[in-house]
Amino acid sequence: MNAQQANRKEKTMTKYVEENERIKHEYGVYLRHAKGQDETSIDKARAAIRRFEESTKFKPFKKFHRQQAADFKDYIGRLKNERTGKPLGFSTVDSMLRLVKGFFHWLVSRTGFKKVISYAAVEYFNNTRTAGRVAH
């Protein structure tokens, strides 16, 4: 196997942290039954959380630090729309930040995360005021 094939294989391999997957499943159940969201909305939340995991190179949620939120904003700021090749739109970025922030707000209330993640740290997912105004 040459280097190019190995690189392609690595990209196609699914990366995940087992504990994170359980937590994301619980969050999906919460969104469905407690918040009454449909599968489309839940899938969007899962996709946004997955992007966050990609930006942290799949670190466990229990290792969250506010710098990861700031790094995530930079990460999605560099992403391109798959169809057009242009940077993601303001509303897409804003939506992604709100979805991930909502997940971490829920996570803060979970046993085992109260000591690790603070509400103040979760606020680092806020978009800039200017970008937020443009998005809305």
Side-chain angles (χ1 to χ4, degrees):
M1 181 183 312
N2 65 28
Q4 188 178 17
Q5 288 172 327
N7 189 25
R8 201 175 313 127
K9 183 177 179 183
E10 183 178 315
K11 284 182 181 181
T12 60
M13 288 179 28
T14 305
K15 294 182 181 182
Y16 66 93
V17 175
E18 192 172 323
E19 184 182 15
N20 286 4
E21 294 302 312
R22 277 194 299 275
I23 293 165
K24 289 188 298 185
H25 175 74
E26 287 178 33
Y27 185 61
V29 171
Y30 167 78
L31 291 176
R32 177 74 180 116
H33 296 288
K35 295 295 186 180
Q37 293 189 3
D38 62 7
E39 279 305 310
T40 305
S41 299
I42 295 168
D43 287 344
K44 287 179 183 178
R46 285 184 184 130
I49 296 165
R50 179 72 178 187
R51 290 282 175 114
F52 173 77
E53 287 181 295
E54 290 169 1
S55 76
T56 65
K57 297 186 178 24
F58 299 90
K59 289 185 180 171
F61 295 136
K62 283 194 174 182
K63 303 229 184 232
F64 176 76
H65 186 271
R66 67 177 182 238
Q67 185 60 46
Q68 290 175 340
D71 293 343
F72 177 61
K73 290 193 282 189
D74 293 339
Y75 175 78
I76 60 175
R78 292 188 307 269
L79 291 177
K80 305 282 186 209
N81 182 311
E82 291 177 7
R83 286 181 286 130
T84 64
K86 294 180 181 179
L88 296 178
F90 286 106
S91 60
T92 302
V93 170
D94 191 66
S95 174
M96 214 178 293
L97 288 171
R98 283 186 294 110
L99 290 168
V100 173
K101 182 180 176 183
F103 169 69
F104 275 94
H105 266 286
W106 171 81
L107 200 57
V108 169
S109 68
R110 307 289 297 166
T111 304
F113 289 92
K114 293 176 184 178
K115 294 179 181 177
V116 180
I117 304 171
S118 69
Y119 283 106
V122 174
E123 292 302 312
Y124 279 74
F125 283 108
N126 285 335
N127 205 348
T128 63
R129 289 183 179 180
T130 305
R133 276 195 297 276
V134 171
H136 295 277

